[in-house]
């Protein structure tokens, strides 16, 4: 996206690195410009497709993944960033026990992710069907992106899930697995948290 999560997490946690990922350079530019202006040397941006993420990070290099208001791909579930083909990629770069966060206004993506988590044997850490139900969101969930503000103004519900991948390898559905592996994904709102500060 526009880098709000990467920048704000970087402001709050100077001892960790945060890398925003997006295919569209004009989005990344806004976050990168802010990080440079504020001299946030722990915030960076990577312009690439998520399907190529294993080319940039080593095994166990990433401590957390934030998927924030990504495209729900209502007609193409295989492109959703919580589809097993992407969970399989994340499993290759996440350290054991790492957390994946999903923040979305899409009921379809939220429910799809819950089903995928169950099918793949993931562990749910937190499941909030409406983060604003009892007033304001707390902690890292209080960070609002451009898209979140827009969705809230339209009266949409903001949902949140955090979960851990299983120790066993994520299974990509056999049917069309070749298509799943070859189809690139683009989508706003993806941030990686590295295991250590470099």
């Amino acid at each position: 996206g526009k880098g709000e999560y990467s920048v704000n997490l970087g402001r709050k946690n100077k001892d960790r690195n945060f890398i925003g990922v997006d295919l569209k350079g004009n989005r990344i530019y806004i976050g990168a410009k802010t990080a440079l202006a504020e001299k946030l040397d722990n915030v960076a941006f990577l312009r690439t497709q998520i399907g190529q993420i294993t080319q940039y990070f080593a095994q166990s290099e990433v401590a957390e993944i934030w998927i924030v208001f990504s495209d729900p791909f209502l007609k193409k579930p295989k492109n959703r960033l919580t589809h097993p083909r992407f969970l399989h990629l994340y499993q290759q770069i996440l350290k054991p026990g790492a957390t994946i966060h999903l923040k979305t206004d899409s009921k379809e993506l939220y429910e799809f992710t819950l089903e995928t988590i169950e099918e793949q044997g993931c562990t749910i850490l937190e499941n909030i069907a409406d983060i604003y139900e009892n007033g304001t969101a707390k902690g890292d969930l209080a960070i609002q992106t451009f898209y979140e503000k827009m969705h809230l103004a339209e009266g949409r519900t903001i949902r949140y899930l955090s979960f851990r991948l299983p120790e066993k390898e994520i299974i990509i559905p056999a049917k069309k697995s070749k298509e799943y592996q070859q189809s690139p994904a683009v989508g706003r709102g993806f941030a990686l948290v590295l295991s250590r500060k470099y």
Side-chain angles (χ1 to χ4, degrees), residues 5 9 11 40 49 82 130 134 138 154 172 188 194:
Y5 253 85
L9 289 172
R11 286 172 179 152
L40 295 172
Q49 293 175 336
T82 56
D130 181 353
N134 298 318
K138 294 178 176 48
E154 294 170 356
I172 301 172
R188 61 186 187 268
L194 296 191

Side-chain angles (χ1 to χ4, degrees), residues 5 12 103 128 131-132 134-143:
Y5 253 85
K12 292 169 65 175
K103 192 175 179 187
I128 306 174
I131 68 170
Y132 294 103
N134 298 318
T136 58
K138 294 178 176 48
D140 292 340
L141 294 183
I143 297 170

Side-chain angles (χ1 to χ4, degrees), residues 38-128:
E38 295 183 23
K39 297 184 166 71
L40 295 172
D41 63 356
N42 62 332
V43 177
F45 294 88
L46 174 64
R47 184 178 179 188
T48 191
Q49 293 175 336
I50 298 303
Q52 299 173 350
I53 201 71
T54 56
Q55 295 176 26
Y56 297 94
F57 297 94
Q59 184 176 352
S60 301
E61 188 174 13
V62 177
E64 293 180 45
I65 292 177
W66 281 85
I67 302 170
V68 187
F69 299 99
S70 63
D71 191 327
F73 287 104
L74 297 179
K75 295 182 178 179
K76 294 185 178 180
K78 66 183 174 132
N79 286 347
R80 295 174 184 164
L81 296 184
T82 56
H83 187 279
R85 74 186 183 105
F86 293 111
L87 298 184
H88 177 75
L89 293 175
Y90 308 153
Q91 196 171 47
Q92 296 173 56
I93 61 173
L94 283 170
K95 70 178 187 177
T99 302
I100 298 176
H101 306 267
L102 172 71
K103 192 175 179 187
T104 184
D105 64 301
S106 170
K107 183 179 179 185
E108 293 82 4
L109 178 58
Y110 170 78
E111 291 176 350
F112 172 85
T113 304
L114 281 172
E115 290 173 14
T116 302
I117 286 171
E118 183 178 352
E119 288 170 2
Q120 296 293 335
C122 301
T123 303
I124 293 179
L125 303 174
E126 198 166 7
N127 179 357
I128 306 174

Side-chain angles (χ1 to χ4, degrees), residues 118-171:
E118 183 178 352
E119 288 170 2
Q120 296 293 335
C122 301
T123 303
I124 293 179
L125 303 174
E126 198 166 7
N127 179 357
I128 306 174
D130 181 353
I131 68 170
Y132 294 103
E133 183 177 26
N134 298 318
T136 58
K138 294 178 176 48
D140 292 340
L141 294 183
I143 297 170
Q144 289 189 350
T145 70
F146 168 83
Y147 296 104
E148 181 170 0
K149 289 174 185 172
M150 184 174 67
H151 298 323
L152 287 170
E154 294 170 356
R156 296 188 190 177
T157 300
I158 308 301
R159 298 166 171 83
Y160 170 76
L161 284 170
S162 63
F163 60 98
R164 287 192 185 119
L165 298 177
E167 290 184 21
K168 67 177 180 67
E169 187 174 348
I170 293 290
I171 310 231

